[in-house]
């Protein structure tokens, strides 16, 4: 066999003529290229996009701070029996229900954690609903503090008068605009919240439930209102014995509706179908306030409030009115105090009585 001779290749001889410095430069270049390829789309996705423009007002300025402040005020001062509530958790649950979410796709489920943190028992016979009569209903409960409107509960107290919404493309609140339920969408964060808490408020009611309706407008019972759409249909017949309606009229104005009107008959029919008894009274507690003796007392109260030295720090408020008039020989029953405020305002266009 022929012998062959093989020459060995030196292991130190490079297969290609690239310096070590060049290799390092190439590695750095390709590393940077890969980083850019990854970072650009991620940056595009994470870059804050402008909020969509809606037809409604934007989130209330300092929303979260107001929310927390009201929570502490309610749980520590207004209803100290709820002092165990964790306002920090409640605040986070509230904002968590709508931040980074489509403001037109809100659901009851979004607010479920918040509802669980703010459960509150209202005593039987103490629930006061209202429809198109907000001011009167709240004047009444400010005097009759044993009665509760939704806004006299923790959640209602915190959210009353505020507006809010977020955006699916941002973790921030939208302070410029929020959806209008008529022009943009009905399932917006704001409307869904009030429908949800109104539903629970009605479901929890027991005994005799009261409702203040505005008899000075047409269609006193409006089936499209929160009361007509949500609360009436969530009263539980096994817990609610009767719905007592008070149809109130502005003093001096023409009566547009009363307990015998067609719209009230619609309400009566709905309740009958749900096996809930119904009773109705026009101008509850108002007629017997027009006596001359009471007129004198109203005048004396107004005179007292008008001339009282502000430097003494006496607040000119509805609660103070309630505490002052009894010292003047007040013949009013506690249930009449809410309507008394209306009577005073009607006689004094520039009334010094303020609602706080």
């Amino acid at each position: 066999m022929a012998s062959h001779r093989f020459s060995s290749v030196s292991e130190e001889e490079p297969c290609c003529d690239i310096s070590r410095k060049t290799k390092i430069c190439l590695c750095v270049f390709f590393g940077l290229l890969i980083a850019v390829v990854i970072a650009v789309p991620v940056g595009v996705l994470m870059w804050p996009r402008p909020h969509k423009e809606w037809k409604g007002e934007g989130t209330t300025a300092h929303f979260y701070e107001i929310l927390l402040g009201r929570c502490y005020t309610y749980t520590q001062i207004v209803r100290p029996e709820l002092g165990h509530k964790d306002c920090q958790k409640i605040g986070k649950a509230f904002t968590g229900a709508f931040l980074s979410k489509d403001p037109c796709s809100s659901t009851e489920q979004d607010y479920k954690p918040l509802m669980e943190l703010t459960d509150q028992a209202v005593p039987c016979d103490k629930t006061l609903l209202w429809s198109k009569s907000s001011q009167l209903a709240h004047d009444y409960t400010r005097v009759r503090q044993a009665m509760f409107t939704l806004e006299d509960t923790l959640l209602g107290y915190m959210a009353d008068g505020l507006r809010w919404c977020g955006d699916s493309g941002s973790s921030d609140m939208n302070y410029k605009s929020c959806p209008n339920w008529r022009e943009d969408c009905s399932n917006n964060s704001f409307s869904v919240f009030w429908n949800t808490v109104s539903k629970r408020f009605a479901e929890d009611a027991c005994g005799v439930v009261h409702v203040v309706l505005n008899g000075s407008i047409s269609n006193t019972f409006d089936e499209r209102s929160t009361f007509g759409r949500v609360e009436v249909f969530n009263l539980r017949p096994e817990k609610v014995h009767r719905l007592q309606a008070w149809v109130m009229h502005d003093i001096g104005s023409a009566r547009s509706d009363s307990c015998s009107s067609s719209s009230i008959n619609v309400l009566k029919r709905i309740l009958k179908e749900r096996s809930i008894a119904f009773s109705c009274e026009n101008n509850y507690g108002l007629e017997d306030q027009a006596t001359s003796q009471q007129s004198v007392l109203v005048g004396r109260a107004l005179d007292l409030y008008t001339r009282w030295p502000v430097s003494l720090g006496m607040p000119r408020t509805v609660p103070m009115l309630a505490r002052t008039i009894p010292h003047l020989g007040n013949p009013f029953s506690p249930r009449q105090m809410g309507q008394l405020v209306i009577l005073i305002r009607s006689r004094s266009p520039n009334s010094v009585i303020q609602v706080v």
Side-chain angles (χ1 to χ4, degrees):
M1 175 183 272
S3 65
H4 299 278
R5 194 172 205 181
F6 297 96
S7 60
S8 60
V9 179
S10 172
E11 294 180 359
E12 297 179 358
E13 186 177 337
C15 60
C16 53
D17 192 16
I18 299 178
S19 68
R20 179 180 179 83
K21 183 176 181 180
T22 302
K23 288 181 180 180
I24 293 174
C25 290
L26 288 173
C27 288
V28 171
F29 172 77
F30 284 113
L32 290 173
L33 182 62
I34 293 172
V36 170
V37 170
I38 295 173
V40 169
V42 171
V44 170
L45 291 174
M46 296 184 65
W47 188 267
R49 292 177 291 176
H51 292 296
K52 183 176 179 178
E53 291 293 327
W54 303 102
K55 301 295 178 62
E57 296 180 15
T59 300
T60 304
H62 309 294
F63 174 82
Y64 189 71
E65 291 79 7
I66 295 172
L67 206 65
L68 276 186
R70 288 183 176 182
C71 182
Y72 284 118
T73 298
Y74 190 90
T75 57
Q76 304 302 315
I77 299 174
V78 179
R79 299 286 174 185
E81 65 271 21
L82 296 180
H84 62 282
K85 297 291 186 183
D86 190 330
C87 288
Q88 290 291 337
K89 286 185 178 179
I90 291 172
K92 290 178 181 178
F94 201 128
T95 54
F98 66 89
L99 287 181
S100 302
K101 296 179 181 180
D102 181 356
C104 275
S105 299
S106 290
T107 65
E108 285 188 25
Q109 196 65 24
D110 292 330
Y111 288 101
K112 185 177 179 180
L114 175 64
M115 302 292 282
E116 292 174 348
L117 289 170
T118 55
D119 60 302
Q120 180 178 357
V122 173
C124 289
D125 305 323
K126 301 302 181 184
T127 297
L128 181 66
L129 307 176
W130 57 270
S131 181
K132 302 179 182 178
S133 55
S134 172
Q135 182 172 314
L136 175 57
H138 295 129
D139 283 348
Y140 184 81
T141 58
R142 284 186 180 97
V143 175
R144 289 288 304 277
Q145 295 187 6
M147 300 291 287
F148 288 79
T149 63
L150 174 57
E151 292 76 16
D152 295 311
T153 64
L154 174 56
L155 259 185
Y157 184 91
M158 290 173 60
D160 189 26
L162 303 182
R163 293 196 62 85
W164 62 89
C165 68
D167 192 285
S168 58
S170 172
S171 60
D172 298 326
M173 299 181 197
N174 188 344
Y175 291 100
K176 292 185 177 180
S177 65
C178 288
N180 177 284
W181 74 274
R182 283 194 181 92
E183 300 182 49
D184 293 310
C185 57
S186 59
N187 290 333
N188 60 78
S189 307
F190 178 82
S191 297
V192 169
F193 168 83
W194 284 112
N195 286 339
T196 301
V197 296
S198 295
K199 177 182 176 181
R200 182 176 74 171
F201 190 57
E203 288 176 339
D204 291 345
C206 56
V208 177
V209 174
H210 304 81
V211 59
V212 179
L213 301 174
N214 190 338
S216 295
I217 60 174
S218 61
N219 199 27
T220 292
F221 171 62
D222 187 352
E223 295 180 78
R224 298 168 299 177
S225 66
T226 302
F227 172 65
R229 288 181 300 103
V230 180
E231 292 169 335
V232 167
F233 292 98
N234 283 285
L235 295 173
R236 295 183 175 179
E238 67 274 15
K239 296 169 59 179
V240 175
H241 309 315
R242 174 166 56 94
L243 179 69
Q244 169 68 58
W246 296 330
V247 178
M248 310 304 294
H249 303 85
D250 291 338
I251 296 174
S253 67
R255 296 188 179 188
S256 298
D257 229 338
S258 68
C259 288
S260 59
S261 68
S262 59
S263 78
I264 297 300
N265 286 334
V266 171
L267 172 59
K268 185 176 181 180
R269 175 181 54 79
I270 292 173
L271 292 167
K272 183 178 180 180
E273 292 174 353
R274 304 198 67 242
S275 301
I276 297 176
F278 176 72
S279 58
C280 184
E281 186 176 345
N282 289 312
N283 291 328
Y284 169 72
L286 179 60
E287 285 80 0
D288 60 347
Q289 293 178 7
T291 66
S292 59
Q293 180 186 13
Q294 292 166 337
S295 296
V296 170
L297 285 173
V298 171
R300 290 171 65 188
L302 279 172
D303 183 63
L304 173 65
Y305 272 78
T306 302
R307 295 187 300 148
W308 190 276
V310 177
S311 61
L312 295 182
M314 179 178 178
R316 299 172 178 181
T317 65
V318 171
M320 180 59 74
L321 173 67
R323 291 193 292 270
T324 300
I325 287 187
H327 297 294
L328 302 176
N330 173 36
F332 297 106
S333 63
R335 72 181 188 176
Q336 296 169 338
M337 294 302 300
Q339 274 296 311
L340 176 61
V341 174
I342 290 183
L343 186 60
I344 290 176
R345 285 177 177 153
S346 71
R347 299 187 182 193
S348 177
N350 299 318
S351 174
V352 296
I353 307 298
Q354 301 175 4
V355 177
V356 294

